[in-house]
Amino acid sequence: MTVYGFHASHEQISPRQLLADVRLAEQAGFEAAMCSDHLEPWSQRQGHAGMAWPWLGAALATTSLSIGTVTAPGQRYHPAIVAQAIATLGQMFPGRFWTALGTGQFANEHVTGQGWPRKEIRQQRLEECVGIIARLLDGETVSHDGLVTVEEATIWETPSPRPALIAPAISVETAERGARWADGLATINQDPAHLKEMLARWTDAGGAPRRILQVHLSWAPTQAEALALAHDQWRSNVLPSPASTDLRVATYDAVTERGVGDEQLREAVLVSADLGELTERIHELADLGFDELYLHHVGQEQRPFLEAFGESVLPRLRSA
């Protein structure tokens, strides 16, 4: 059975409200959750950026959901600290926590003052961090000299089972590279042909069978309201790489202030006032071969979305 989860967007909603939202998501029938891990939002209009890790502990403690996050070790977070955080949550909530380890965005990582390496260097740094984190979670004492430095680090609370380390990817090439080390793949809704190619290349590269899809959507009582909501809250997120990883929040706003058309937005967000249409489109994405779909309503008020989807969309998806 496909798992349908709720995405908690820290960039858009305060951590206090998100905690209430994730509880409501469980009550509405969502089976799992995931969250972002940002220091800055994508836009000043979003206006939030709570820290993911304490929120994850509270969310796991007050629901029975499995929950994951997407984070970036290597610059803002030292890999030993990430490993300790993963191990602690994994030890407290066995089998319920996972994390996707990516190369990050400049908007979140610039605060260290280290500069922003080019993509290939960031990818190499990530792979060093993944190896360090995996060894620490397995109980090893780790020293490492490379793009990151570790000196005799040990994690004293090792989790069993070990939380899954997932590869987040937007491009086929990144997915293929992540297949070498990851326990699963996570991506976002894109052109179905691109997603098919990504899944095929992931499989051909020996990737693990777990496949996660985050689905951005905008639902409102009318089509005009749904489109306006997507424009307001998510137009800063439609930029392709490298702009999507290399800009600051104010620059995202300036670049997308004008010129993001309806069609460009619809390529990144499922926009509709029709719950039946959204159900069908989500089902089509699941049919591509994803085991878990995390639905992200791009609005800042989640209750109407959660109640409507719990009543009308989730039952149809499961019956299909």
Side-chain angles (χ1 to χ4, degrees), residues 204-244:
D204 290 345
R210 188 172 183 178
R211 297 163 176 193
I212 295 168
L213 181 68
Q214 184 189 83
V215 181
H216 304 300
L217 62 94
S218 181
W219 170 79
T222 70
Q223 195 73 14
E225 289 174 288
L227 188 57
L229 182 63
H231 265 290
D232 178 66
Q233 283 294 298
W234 215 246
R235 69 174 184 265
S236 300
N237 297 64
V238 303
L239 299 174
S241 183
S244 59

Side-chain angles (χ1 to χ4, degrees), residues 26-80:
E26 182 177 38
Q27 294 168 19
F30 286 86
E31 303 159 281
M34 66 177 290
C35 76
S36 48
D37 178 12
H38 275 234
L39 187 71
E40 290 192 353
W42 295 98
S43 166
Q44 294 181 25
R45 295 181 308 279
Q46 294 174 343
H48 296 279
M51 190 177 191
W53 296 96
W55 184 89
L56 283 161
L60 286 159
T62 55
T63 71
S64 61
L65 303 174
S66 66
I67 307 180
T69 191
V70 182
T71 194
Q75 189 157 331
R76 179 169 48 121
Y77 294 136
H78 190 278

Side-chain angles (χ1 to χ4, degrees), residues 5 13 16 65-66 155 182 187 196 200 210 228 250 269:
I13 302 167
R16 181 189 301 173
L65 303 174
S66 66
I155 298 300
T187 189
K196 282 183 180 179
R210 188 172 183 178
V269 184

